Amino acid sequence: MDISFLNDYVNLVVLGICLCLGYVIKTSLDIINNKYIPAIMLFLGTGINCIINAPNINAAVVLGGMISGLASTGLYEAMRNLLDKDGKKGE
C-alpha cells in the first residue's frame, strides 16, 4: 500500500508549529502525560490549519491539519532517535 499521497496534505508551517509546541509540552509541562501529546497535536494542527485557511475550510484542510499535527510527533521521535538524545542507543 502506497501512502505517499499523504505528502500532498502536509503543511510545513503547521508541522513546524506543532513540532515546537509539542517539544515544549514534552519537556516543560510535567502535568501532561506523554500519551496525550499526539492527540493534542492532532487538534492543534487541525485548528492552526483551519485558521490559516479561514475562508475556505473544507475536508482537505481539516485532513491536512490532522496529518501535519500527527506528523510532527513522528518527526520529533525520528529526530530524537537520530540524535540519540536519551542515550538509549548503547543500552
Side-chain angles (χ1 to χ4, degrees):
M1 183 175 165
D2 185 26
I3 60 171
S4 63
F5 70 93
L6 293 176
N7 288 335
D8 298 334
Y9 292 102
V10 175
N11 184 328
L12 293 179
V13 173
V14 176
L15 181 96
I17 292 170
C18 287
L19 179 64
C20 293
L21 290 174
Y23 177 76
V24 169
I25 290 171
K26 181 154 181 80
T27 58
S28 300
L29 302 176
D30 293 333
I31 59 172
I32 298 176
N33 195 336
N34 287 343
K35 70 179 183 179
Y36 298 118
I37 294 176
I40 293 169
M41 294 301 104
L42 180 126
F43 290 116
L44 190 62
T46 303
I48 293 170
N49 208 27
C50 286
I51 290 170
I52 291 172
N53 298 295
N56 302 327
I57 297 172
N58 57 24
V61 170
V62 173
L63 180 63
M66 294 169 84
I67 290 172
S68 298
L70 289 176
S72 71
T73 59
L75 182 60
Y76 171 80
E77 290 298 322
M79 287 174 50
R80 185 180 61 87
N81 289 335
L82 266 172
L83 298 175
D84 190 31
K85 183 174 186 215
D86 294 334
K88 295 180 182 177
K89 190 174 186 180
E91 295 179 8

